[in-house]
Amino acid sequence: MQKRVQIESRKVQTVYAPLATSSLTIHSRATSQSQSQNNTIKVIQKQPKIRNRSLITRHIKQKQIFSQTDTCTNKVLTERNLEIDCSLMEPSTTTSIQQSQLVWQSPYRPHVYTIYFPYPQMLQQTRSQQFLVEQIKKPLYYKLQGQVPFKCILSAFEAAGFERSDEENWLIYWGIASKETLKEMKKYQKTNHFPGCWSVGRKDNLWIHLSKVKRKFPTEYYFIPNTYLLQYDFERFEGIRESAPKKTLWIKKPVASARGNGIKLINKKTKLTADKRYLVMDYISNPHLINNFKYDLRVYVLITSIDPLRVYMYKDGLVRFATQEYSLKSSDIKKRFIHLTNFSVNKQSPNFIANNQDMEQQVKASKWSHKEYKQQLIAQGINHKILFKSIQDVVLKTCIAAEPLLLDRNGKTSEHKNNYFELFGFDILIDETLKPWLLEVNVSPSLNSASELDAQIKTQLISDMLHLIGIEYYYKKAFRIQIKKRLFERNINEIQSINSRNFRQKVNQTDLDVMIQSLEEQLRLGQFKCLYPNKQNLFEYEQYFEYPRFHNKLIQKYFEDGSNWII
């Protein structure tokens, strides 16, 4: 059995391993090398250390090593010394296979390990084992709020060796946590909801944020139907309805509901009141049809950080069909199986057909995967790459519009800003011109595995998400001793003068960590695609932010500079 990775030369390196160049192409090169070595990083055995050596003696030895490095490196190592994994200072021990566990080691920060989430067996897939090393196995715990979650969540945790706990020894909390829980979170703990997540998860809040940006960028943000909050816009809507053409339709929705509850179509004759519980949206009456059925797309979007903003979109998802052929006849206005695409509505239809992934029957199914949908578009001569690029544009612009409030709520617990992540379900309608329209954004999108198709997509989704967010494989001792970081005064206007030579003089350790976390996540993507920060579009979307943010600009400058600061 290999011994734990404890390479002495690591102590004389800088905190972040030097790389040959600046971009993520470095990692693809390192990846191919690691795959040729049985997909794991080889462990170098060392001579046994003297056991029970005191911590003071080890610190003296480290200081001697530090003195051999340059001034800048010495400063960084000294600042990070008491925060690194204390296991690196412990004597090496030989472990049995039952006592060891594979973890993901950062190529930038060799002392940082995150939990490796292998795919559950039912997926019959193998996750890449790049950058994996062995560590002593420790118990891993997650905590749930409320009832037992869906099978895809349990399967992902089980495959990674997690156990459920009702104590406070959890690494990840799944559910809406109480204010007390959020306040008392440790540095290494994560929970799956941002404070203020309902700023986009409620239909009224979503419109408020998007309409604000839409007034400034009317053309660029013309992807959400005009919306009227009946509590505030009742008289204005009534005036618009009065002057609208005779056959115009709108759709009435509860502002804080899901699964199609309370949704109905209305026309010029429908009676309305100024009910604060509802809003009215323009009805997209020319949807793109497949087999003459209306459909929408469920797109999964992951946000792992607000400052800096980090947004990912999953490469697969669901296509939900109505179960009666589309019609605009006035006699069909109340037929929910024609106009609503919600799965929870249409599964009650006698015409609902489950997707059993049989290619001959798949075209008739009432729910598809995005992969099946793209195949159908190709058969129709439609370029799906252009369509999904437009969808990515809608997703990212929506996240940017919601960023100010999310950042404000997250800023109230600034010491925990790295503890949160959020998986959203975006509902996108495609019209006959192949223009995507944002219908709503769902907090806690359904993860119910009602079919084999659901189970496959959602199980891989959750496993990829938990692997990407980087749950630290920690030792409690590493978090008992921490030094107080020195505060730096930073001027966002000075970012343009930063380069590889003066980087460490102009930013602090927190800034460096923020940049590294962004790069590390892009090595654990799985089936996610990074929408932001992406060096291809950083400048394109800069104009849509309400205010420039220091960390967003810093990462932008890093990509722009093209040289490797992370050394």
Side-chain angles (χ1 to χ4, degrees):
M1 173 57 63
Q2 294 174 328
K3 295 185 177 182
R4 295 180 58 195
V5 175
Q6 294 183 326
I7 303 174
E8 187 69 20
S9 62
R10 186 178 296 162
K11 296 180 180 178
V12 298
Q13 296 174 346
T14 55
V15 173
Y16 305 114
L19 301 175
T21 61
S22 62
S23 70
L24 291 178
T25 56
I26 296 304
H27 305 292
S28 62
R29 196 175 303 129
T31 292
S32 62
Q33 294 174 356
S34 65
Q35 285 179 323
S36 66
Q37 301 174 1
N38 297 324
N39 289 330
T40 57
I41 297 176
K42 289 188 176 181
V43 180
I44 301 176
Q45 293 188 349
K46 304 190 319 182
Q47 294 298 323
K49 292 184 178 181
I50 301 175
R51 297 180 179 274
N52 300 323
R53 194 165 49 180
S54 69
L55 185 62
I56 296 177
T57 303
R58 276 175 267 171
H59 286 175
I60 293 174
K61 177 64 177 176
Q62 288 172 344
K63 289 180 179 179
Q64 293 172 349
I65 296 172
F66 293 156
S67 64
Q68 301 171 13
T69 63
D70 58 70
T71 304
C72 179
T73 302
N74 184 26
K75 177 182 177 181
V76 175
L77 284 170
T78 303
E79 289 180 350
R80 294 289 295 181
N81 180 32
L82 294 180
E83 293 185 308
I84 65 174
D85 189 339
C86 289
S87 64
L88 296 178
M89 299 184 288
E90 295 174 353
S92 174
T93 58
T94 302
T95 60
S96 67
I97 193 168
Q98 290 80 15
Q99 294 174 307
S100 64
Q101 180 166 346
L102 287 176
V103 295
W104 192 90
Q105 182 185 38
S106 169
Y108 298 109
R109 303 182 291 179
H111 64 280
V112 171
Y113 305 94
T114 61
I115 296 170
Y116 172 67
F117 279 82
Y119 287 129
Q121 187 174 2
M122 58 89 62
L123 294 177
Q124 297 181 343
Q125 296 186 50
T126 302
R127 187 184 298 285
S128 169
Q129 294 191 336
Q130 302 157 7
F131 308 115
L132 297 189
V133 296
E134 287 183 341
Q135 283 283 42
I136 293 177
K137 190 171 185 178
K138 302 191 301 292
L140 307 174
Y141 297 106
Y142 67 94
K143 189 172 183 178
L144 302 177
Q145 181 266 336
Q147 60 185 2
V148 176
F150 299 111
K151 186 176 180 180
C152 60
I153 300 173
L154 298 177
S155 297
F157 279 130
E158 182 180 350
F162 274 77
E163 299 177 13
R164 182 175 179 177
S165 173
D166 293 326
E167 305 299 327
E168 300 308 312
N169 56 352
W170 49 272
L171 292 177
I172 185 166
Y173 186 103
W174 193 276
I176 303 293
S178 65
K179 292 182 179 180
E180 291 74 19
T181 299
L182 297 180
K183 184 177 180 180
E184 296 174 1
M185 278 194 300
K186 306 297 188 299
K187 177 181 177 181
Y188 51 84
Q189 294 177 317
K190 288 184 179 290
T191 183
N192 68 316
H193 290 295
F194 280 100
C197 60
W198 297 106
S199 61
V200 290
R202 280 178 55 115
K203 301 175 185 66
D204 52 352
N205 289 338
L206 178 65
W207 169 250
I208 290 171
H209 297 309
L210 285 177
S211 62
K212 180 179 179 180
V213 187
K214 187 178 179 180
R215 286 191 290 271
K216 186 176 181 180
F217 302 100
T219 303
E220 294 85 347
Y221 271 78
Y222 188 61
F223 55 76
I224 185 170
N226 289 324
T227 303
Y228 311 92
L229 309 181
L230 293 181
Q231 182 181 9
Y232 307 108
D233 303 324
F234 178 75
E235 292 185 1
R236 184 166 68 92
F237 173 69
E238 286 293 270
I240 291 173
R241 186 162 66 149
E242 180 71 23
S243 60
K246 183 178 180 180
K247 295 185 178 181
T248 304
L249 296 176
W250 296 268
I251 188 165
K252 179 184 175 184
K253 298 181 178 182
V255 298
S257 186
R259 300 183 177 89
N261 294 327
I263 298 178
K264 66 178 183 179
L265 264 64
I266 64 173
N267 56 22
K268 296 190 68 170
K269 297 180 180 180
T270 307
K271 293 183 179 180
L272 286 179
T273 60
D275 192 333
K276 66 179 181 181
R277 298 172 299 172
Y278 290 90
L279 57 76
V280 172
M281 301 177 72
D282 288 351
Y283 184 65
I284 307 301
S285 59
N286 62 332
H288 181 254
L289 304 178
I290 295 181
N291 301 324
N292 210 32
F293 290 96
K294 181 181 175 181
Y295 67 89
D296 76 351
L297 306 179
R298 167 56 59 86
V299 176
Y300 296 106
V301 176
L302 173 65
I303 299 181
T304 61
S305 171
I306 305 300
D307 182 19
L309 185 64
R310 297 200 292 264
V311 181
Y312 304 89
M313 179 173 143
Y314 204 60
K315 294 181 181 179
D316 206 353
L318 297 170
V319 185
R320 295 95 53 89
F321 286 87
T323 47
Q324 284 185 254
E325 292 190 3
Y326 189 67
S327 170
L328 283 175
K329 295 179 181 179
S330 57
S331 58
D332 293 331
I333 189 174
K334 294 184 179 180
K335 295 182 179 180
R336 291 162 63 83
F337 298 147
I338 292 177
H339 297 285
L340 301 188
T341 55
N342 306 74
F343 170 73
S344 55
V345 172
N346 284 282
K347 70 179 181 180
Q348 302 173 17
S349 169
N351 300 324
F352 181 83
I353 301 175
N355 188 324
N356 58 12
Q357 296 186 299
D358 184 332
M359 291 303 296
E360 294 182 0
Q361 296 295 323
Q362 174 260 327
V363 177
K364 300 179 181 179
S366 301
K367 183 185 285 188
W368 294 359
S369 69
H370 284 188
K371 293 178 181 178
E372 294 167 331
Y373 174 63
K374 291 174 183 178
Q375 292 172 357
Q376 180 66 24
L377 294 181
I378 292 173
Q380 295 183 11
I382 297 173
N383 189 330
H384 65 82
K385 293 182 179 179
I386 295 177
L387 173 60
F388 274 83
K389 187 174 181 180
S390 298
I391 293 173
Q392 293 168 16
D393 180 71
V394 168
V395 166
L396 184 50
K397 285 177 179 175
T398 301
C399 294
I400 291 174
E403 181 249 17
L405 183 57
L406 287 172
L407 186 58
D408 178 65
R409 297 290 179 86
N410 197 29
K412 294 178 180 178
T413 56
S414 57
E415 69 275 16
H416 296 143
K417 71 174 186 176
N418 292 322
N419 295 81
Y420 308 110
F421 64 97
E422 189 83 45
L423 180 69
F424 293 104
F426 279 58
D427 290 346
I428 305 288
L429 178 74
I430 309 300
D431 70 17
E432 62 185 5
T433 69
L434 299 180
K435 171 185 171 64
W437 292 86
L438 177 65
L439 301 182
E440 59 185 74
V441 177
N442 296 273
V443 173
S444 299
S446 173
L447 297 174
N448 184 30
S449 301
S451 66
E452 182 180 349
L453 175 69
D454 286 281
Q456 288 283 331
I457 292 176
K458 295 175 182 178
T459 301
Q460 186 168 356
L461 165 71
I462 297 302
S463 182
D464 280 344
M465 179 186 70
L466 294 174
H467 185 70
L468 186 153
I469 62 175
I471 304 172
E472 288 197 23
Y473 197 76
Y474 78 101
Y475 280 79
K476 289 185 177 179
K477 284 191 291 184
F479 294 91
R480 288 183 191 147
I481 308 174
Q482 293 189 7
I483 58 176
K484 186 175 181 180
K485 292 185 174 65
R486 181 165 61 93
L487 296 179
F488 283 67
E489 290 186 4
R490 298 172 302 178
N491 185 342
I492 195 170
N493 296 321
E494 293 183 357
I495 289 180
Q496 285 304 315
S497 65
I498 296 178
N499 54 48
S500 58
R501 296 182 300 276
N502 61 18
F503 174 70
R504 292 190 181 277
Q505 286 73 45
K506 289 184 175 288
V507 301
N508 61 24
Q509 190 64 47
T510 299
D511 301 329
L512 185 57
D513 286 342
V514 161
M515 292 185 60
I516 294 301
Q517 287 164 6
S518 298
L519 297 178
E520 287 171 346
E521 286 185 354
Q522 295 190 35
L523 298 178
R524 301 189 296 259
L525 288 175
Q527 291 300 307
F528 280 97
K529 178 177 181 177
C530 180
L531 302 188
Y532 195 92
N534 186 317
K535 61 181 178 181
Q536 304 299 327
N537 64 18
L538 281 170
F539 297 97
E540 177 184 352
Y541 289 91
E542 182 181 15
Q543 59 181 318
Y544 303 124
F545 284 87
E546 183 178 31
Y547 300 105
R549 311 293 182 186
F550 183 88
H551 287 143
N552 288 337
K553 298 288 288 184
L554 184 63
I555 294 173
Q556 178 180 333
K557 177 62 177 176
Y558 173 76
F559 284 123
E560 179 186 8
D561 186 73
S563 59
N564 183 25
W565 302 353
I566 316 302
I567 58 175

